[in-house]
Each structure stands twice: as structure tokens, then as C-alpha cells.
Amino acid sequence: MSRPNPLFRNLTSKVAATPMIFIVLVVFVGSTAWTVASSFTSIKTLPIFTPREFYDTWVGWDQYVRLFNTPRWITSITNLAIYGLLYSGFAFVIGFLLAVLMDQKIRAEGVFRTIYLYPFALSFIVTGKVWAWILNPAFGLEKTVRDLGWTSFSFDWLTNRDMAIYTVVIAGLWQGTGLVMALMLAGLRSIDDEIWRAARVDGIPKWRTYLQIVVPMMRPVMITIFVIVASGSVRVYDLVIALTQGGPGNSSQVPSMYIYEKLFVGALAQGTAASSVLLLATAVILIPWILVEFGKKGRG
Amino acid sequence: MFAPDRVLIYTLLIVTSIYYLVPLYVMIITSLKDLDMIREGNIFIPTARPTLDAWIKAWSQACTGLNCTGLAPGFWNSVFITIPSVVVSIAVASISGYCLANWPFRVAEWCFTILLVGSFIPYQVFLYPLVIITREMGIYSTLYAVIFVHTVFGLPILTLLFRNYFASLPEELFKAARVDGAGFWRIFFQVMLPMSVPIFTVAVILQVTGIWNDFLFGVIYAGPTNYPMTVQLNNIVNSLQGVKEYNVEMAATILTGLVPLTIYFLSGKYFVRGIAAGAVKG
């Protein structure tokens, strides 16, 4: 009997996995490569494919130079930095504190979890519309507090150029901290009870056990949560569209809005250059996660 | 019974709960008011004479531009987008996960690693290439394009979910079935699927809420006649014509959130499992 060709071993499996392989190669690898490559060209509306076309339109770093000389882009990345840092930071701290509270063998845990997590089931569009209403200075919180007698009360962030981006943080936190809480709680529950018992026997106070023993043990979970939260905040789009539409003026613009506009109004390469910058930002966020994943495999 | 630290814990939990509940409460009471009450009243105080007029208007009469059809067409578009997208994405991902868990080969494993890293890449990187791809497939600006895009972006998390679940099933079952001469598809349909109801439930919940809540892909790939409910909600609220009807806006907002909220309240445990699957790996 001759040995079968290894190419045909598992043949059905290979056929069945074709859609996944197609999507990975064409969409995930191919599209990323195309986006990065086209950002070095001068294309405007018509996409290009052949090396010849790339050669003819090649302009080097021009698109990036133009990008970083565009005030609107600078506003956008500044806003993204503000949003990303505040959102990730607060979601992390609040999510962890809520998870610790939930971990104190409380009653009605299910009720509290349901309350903290329900906003996460809602879309960013719904989230944005609700908060736009609550923060509306003419009818919302500001008017309500003034009607109560505090007539000088001011909470006009939504219509204030300097503060609009912070309303996006408020709404984002409302939507997303429940997720962080749920993930942190799962991490806390995976800690062996023995550790708690040992800490109690040694007379270590609870808060110190959390800070010095439990948190370091949860490091891999924390890094994964950080990557999910931070890479999610880079994508922020719908929330801003629903809450401020990038306004007032351009004051709460974010990169994804800039990209969307450039891609579909005839500045294709400018859009892909801006996308590539976001890709780079995500790569920077991903590195700690890849190190952890890689490290895990290394240890077997 | 009332130790001070317990009191503190419950106080903190209740105060934070209020913060999370207020927007839902405000949304509901605003949608039940008429415009005069909104102008005179306080957003946190419910009306004494609730009315469903705003709900009816939001569902069937609210305008976007010259179209005064309400949210209803958007609701049905979302249904027609969500159902096939959920079915196709779960079919592709469950089979891929099964290949990876039970019939692995090297190329598939590489692709899976790329998929896991790729799931973090910002969508903006793929937007235009996917326009090209769907245009080449001849489906751009149709329902099929949106279904395809949802299948693509559901693939990483769902494949991970299914791969881990199938890998956790006892290997003896798979081996016994092979000894009995069952092949790839027979084992999948007759051995694996009957044992996988919980994970399919998790996947369906994850996908229904995710796809229902999508805005970006609906705007770009579905084409104006197929705009999902989120897009229509945004258009209704943004079309500035005459007096802003905040009660209608809030009714429209609740209506748009109703499907995922209902699923969430009915299936809390599975929902949590779905979102935790990506972070806390089995």
C-alpha cells in the first residue's frame, strides 16, 4: 500500500475550513496589506491593484505629512487620546471596584449584575441618544437643577467646545464598565479559596490581600481586559455620531469620523493613511497581550 | 447583622446602581410625556397623565427627510439582516471551530492565530477593502454584503468559542465515533451538535445583540433601502424639522434598544458567558 499524499489527509476538514481560510487571507491579511500599501500612494477615488499602478501613484510619506498638518486630524487624535485614556482608566478602576464589591458574598448579586451590565446590551447609538437627552442644557440636568433653585448651576458640556469630548467619556463609561466588572469578577472568582484562607490565617487585612496578592495573580486577565477595552476605544465611532456628531464645530471629532469621510469623498489614500495610524496605535496596545499569550505557550 | 462594612458595601452598590438605572428611567418617562410636559417639567419626574402617542409616532409616523414612515421599516430591515447573519456566521464559525478542535491541520491553526490578533484591528482598516471585495462579489449595497461583513467580523470570537467548547468535550466520544466509521460531517451533526446546545445558545445571543446594535456596517454595506434600525433612529433624531420632539426621540430610542434588552433580561447567564468567553479562556 502506498502512503497517501499528506495534502489529502483530513481532506474534508480542509474543505470545510476553506471559508475561514478565505476570510483570514483575503479580508484580514489582504485588506490590511492593501490599506497600508495604498496609504503611500496618491489615489483618490479608484482603488488600485497591480504593482504597476502602485508604482505609478507612489508618493512615499506625503499622505502622512499632509495628515499631520491637518488641524482636524490633530483635534481627532487628541480627542482619541483623551477618550482612550480616561475611558480605559476609569472603566478599569470602576470595573475592578464594582467587582470587588460584588465579590463580598452579597445578597441579590444577580440583581446588581443585571443592573450594571444591561447598558452593555444596548448599542452605542442608543447610549448616545439617551445621554444627549440627559445632558441637553435646555431641558436636561442643567435645567432641572436650575429649576430647583440653584439658578447659576451650569452643566453645558454637550455644547461646550472644550468639554464635549468628556460627555463621550461619561456615556461610554455608562455603557462599558459593566463588561469590565463582569470580566474582573470572573477573574476574582478564579482565585483559589486557599489563598484567601491563608491570608486570613496570617492576619493580613482584606484590602492588602486584594492589592498585594490577588491583583498580581490576576495579571494575565487584567492585561486581556486592558487590551479589549483599549482597542475598543480606538474604534469609537457610533457613540460620537449619536452624542455630539463631532461638534460643536469640530471639537469632539475622532479619527474614525475623519477616516470615514476621506474614504468615501474622494481622498482614498488620505483615509487609508489615517487608518494605518490607528492600526499602529492598536499594535502598540496589543504588544503586552501578545507577550502574555506567547509567554503562556513558552511555559507549556 | 448590620456591621458597618456591610452597610458601606450595600450603600455603594445601591448608589452606583442608581447611576446605571437613571438613563433607562429617564428614557421611559420622557417617552410617556407630551411636548408641553417636557417643556415645563423636570426630566426626572414622571408625568401624571402618561400617553403612548410618542411611541405610536416613533413607530409609524416619524420622519427622516421627506419619508414619514417611522421606525417600523428599520425594525424589519434589522430583522432581515440579523436572522441570516446570525445563521451564516454561526454555521461558518462552528464548522471552523470543529476543524480546529478535532481535525486540526497546520494552515488552519496559523489562520486561527491571525484571526485572534486580527480581531483587534480597527474596523476602519477594512472598510474600503470590504467595499472592493463585496463589489467584486457583486453584492455591494445589498443585504448579502451586510451578511458577509457580519460573518467576517463574528468569525474570531465565535470560532474561539466553538473551538474551546468542542475541545472540552470528552475525546473518547470522538474516537469511538471514528472507530465506528463515522466521518467528518456525521460526527459533527450526530455527535457534536447534540451536545452543543449551550454553546450555540451563547453564540446566538452574542450575535443577535451584536448585529442588532451595529451601525457602521449597516450604513456602508446595506444600501439605503436596507438601513437597519440603529441607522434609522439616528436619521430620525437628526432630521431637524420644526419643533424637536424629544418624547418621540426617546420612544424611538427605547424601541431600538428593546430587542437586545429583552434578550439580555431573559438570558442573563448566557449573555455573561458569551462576553466572558473572549477574555477568560477555557
Side-chain angles (χ1 to χ4, degrees):
Chain A
M1 241 167 58
S2 63
R3 245 181 121 233
N5 183 337
L7 199 63
F8 297 118
R9 211 173 46 214
N10 265 357
L11 185 64
T12 324
S13 174
K14 282 168 188 166
V15 173
T18 313
M20 176 185 80
I21 296 169
F22 169 82
I23 288 173
V24 168
L25 295 182
V26 174
V27 180
F28 284 94
V29 178
S31 299
T32 309
W34 186 88
T35 292
V36 174
S38 68
S39 73
F40 293 100
T41 70
S42 60
I43 55 169
K44 293 201 154 46
T45 46
L46 288 178
I48 49 171
F49 303 102
T50 63
R52 176 84 220 168
E53 289 170 317
F54 274 98
Y55 181 81
D56 287 344
T57 53
W58 198 261
V59 291
W61 295 94
D62 278 12
Q63 297 290 357
Y64 292 90
V65 173
R66 191 184 307 167
L67 186 61
F68 283 92
N69 281 315
T70 307
R72 215 184 112 203
W73 173 254
I74 302 297
T75 311
S76 301
I77 49 170
T78 313
N79 281 336
L80 182 61
I82 294 172
Y83 175 78
L85 287 175
L86 289 180
Y87 173 76
S88 309
F90 277 110
F92 225 72
V93 172
I94 298 170
F96 180 72
L97 292 178
L98 285 179
V100 168
L101 288 175
M102 297 276 288
D103 198 31
Q104 304 307 312
K105 301 189 173 62
I106 55 161
R107 278 185 205 186
E109 186 192 314
V111 175
F112 284 113
R113 191 188 13 231
T114 306
I115 293 172
Y116 295 141
L117 201 53
Y118 88 87
F120 188 69
L122 294 170
S123 62
F124 280 127
I125 296 290
V126 168
T127 304
K129 293 304 175 203
V130 181
W131 282 96
W133 170 235
I134 294 176
L135 299 175
N136 180 326
F139 294 100
L141 195 60
E142 183 178 280
K143 173 184 182 269
T144 305
V145 176
R146 283 185 182 174
D147 286 352
L148 289 175
W150 183 0
T151 46
S152 62
F153 178 81
S154 169
F155 195 71
D156 63 347
W157 287 11
L158 200 60
T159 51
N160 179 333
R161 295 182 141 267
D162 297 324
M163 304 307 282
I165 188 67
Y166 299 99
T167 62
V168 184
V169 177
I170 295 175
L173 284 173
W174 177 75
Q175 203 261 0
T177 29
L179 168 72
V180 179
M181 181 278 295
L183 299 179
M184 292 273 191
L185 189 58
L188 286 175
R189 295 273 155 90
S190 69
I191 302 281
D192 197 343
D193 274 350
E194 279 302 310
I195 287 168
W196 279 107
R197 216 163 295 145
R200 213 173 308 133
V201 170
D202 289 345
I204 302 172
K206 221 171 191 177
W207 64 272
R208 277 194 56 196
T209 315
Y210 270 113
L211 278 186
Q212 297 186 330
I213 301 171
V214 173
V215 170
M217 284 181 74
M218 279 172 65
R219 206 173 59 188
V221 180
M222 297 250 188
I223 291 178
T224 311
I225 298 173
F226 169 75
V227 170
I228 291 175
V229 172
S231 68
S233 68
V234 171
R235 290 173 181 171
V236 63
Y237 177 75
D238 334 7
L239 185 58
V240 185
I241 292 284
L243 187 57
T244 66
Q245 288 101 46
N250 280 337
S251 61
S252 60
Q253 292 270 337
V254 285
S256 51
M257 295 170 77
Y258 182 86
I259 292 167
Y260 184 86
E261 237 168 73
K262 295 294 168 188
L263 288 181
F264 295 103
V265 298
L268 200 43
Q270 182 67 188
T272 54
S275 313
S276 305
V277 174
L278 287 197
L279 182 65
L280 186 69
T282 307
V284 171
I285 295 167
L286 273 181
I287 287 166
W289 177 73
I290 290 171
L291 288 178
V292 169
E293 289 293 299
F294 188 73
K296 236 190 260 166
K297 270 175 210 149
R299 267 180 270 126
Chain B
M1 197 64 197
F2 293 109
D5 62 330
R6 291 266 110 184
V7 174
L8 180 68
I9 287 169
Y10 283 105
T11 311
L12 286 173
L13 284 170
I14 290 167
V15 170
T16 42
S17 299
I18 292 171
Y19 169 74
Y20 284 93
L21 285 173
V22 159
L24 184 64
Y25 167 76
V26 169
M27 223 180 344
I28 294 172
I29 63 166
T30 305
S31 72
L32 297 173
K33 292 177 183 177
D34 65 34
L35 269 180
D36 288 339
M37 287 180 227
I38 289 177
R39 252 177 257 121
E40 290 152 21
N42 170 320
I43 60 164
F44 299 108
I45 295 175
T47 167
R49 288 171 284 126
T51 158
L52 279 176
D53 291 352
W55 285 62
I56 294 164
K57 186 155 190 200
W59 178 252
S60 56
Q61 294 149 22
C63 300
T64 51
L66 295 174
N67 269 339
C68 293
T69 51
L71 269 177
F75 172 84
W76 291 112
N77 286 343
S78 279
V79 170
F80 294 131
I81 290 171
T82 303
I83 292 173
S85 300
V86 170
V87 172
V88 174
S89 63
I90 290 179
V92 172
S94 60
I95 292 167
S96 307
Y98 170 60
C99 290
L100 288 160
N102 296 99
W103 308 80
F105 59 100
R106 200 165 298 153
V107 176
E109 284 171 338
W110 287 340
C111 284
F112 182 61
T113 307
I114 298 173
L115 208 53
L116 288 185
V117 177
S119 68
F120 293 103
I121 297 176
Y123 296 136
Q124 284 73 25
V125 171
F126 304 115
L127 290 185
Y128 204 84
L130 278 170
V131 171
I132 303 174
I133 292 166
T134 51
R135 200 184 281 151
E136 290 301 308
M137 292 162 82
I139 58 174
Y140 178 63
S141 218
T142 67
L143 271 185
Y144 298 104
V146 161
I147 296 167
F148 174 72
V149 171
H150 282 307
T151 304
V152 166
F153 290 112
L155 196 61
I157 180 74
L158 293 179
T159 307
L160 178 72
L161 203 69
F162 282 109
R163 188 198 72 136
N164 289 352
Y165 185 82
F166 291 138
S168 74
L169 295 175
E171 219 193 333
E172 290 73 26
L173 282 169
F174 178 75
K175 284 191 177 145
R178 286 214 72 184
V179 171
D180 288 344
F184 183 91
W185 293 112
R186 219 172 137 168
I187 297 178
F188 182 67
F189 284 111
Q190 298 193 340
V191 180
M192 303 313 243
L193 283 198
M195 290 192 293
S196 309
V197 177
I199 204 67
F200 274 92
T201 314
V202 169
V204 168
I205 290 165
L206 199 66
Q207 285 299 84
V208 172
T209 47
I211 294 168
W212 192 274
N213 287 340
D214 161 65
F215 174 82
L216 187 60
F217 303 140
V219 173
I220 298 178
Y221 303 103
T225 50
N226 298 315
Y227 275 164
M229 205 171 183
T230 47
V231 178
Q232 207 152 17
L233 167 67
N234 193 51
N235 290 345
I236 286 177
V237 176
N238 288 352
S239 59
L240 289 155
Q241 285 183 327
V243 191
K244 282 281 256 176
E245 295 177 287
Y246 294 105
N247 51 351
V248 177
E249 284 182 17
M250 284 302 111
T253 308
I254 304 177
L255 283 167
T256 309
L258 217 50
V259 168
L261 264 192
T262 309
I263 291 175
Y264 171 69
F265 284 124
L266 293 179
S267 68
K269 199 181 69 187
Y270 286 106
F271 184 86
V272 176
R273 253 185 90 178
I275 58 166
V280 190
K281 284 173 204 158

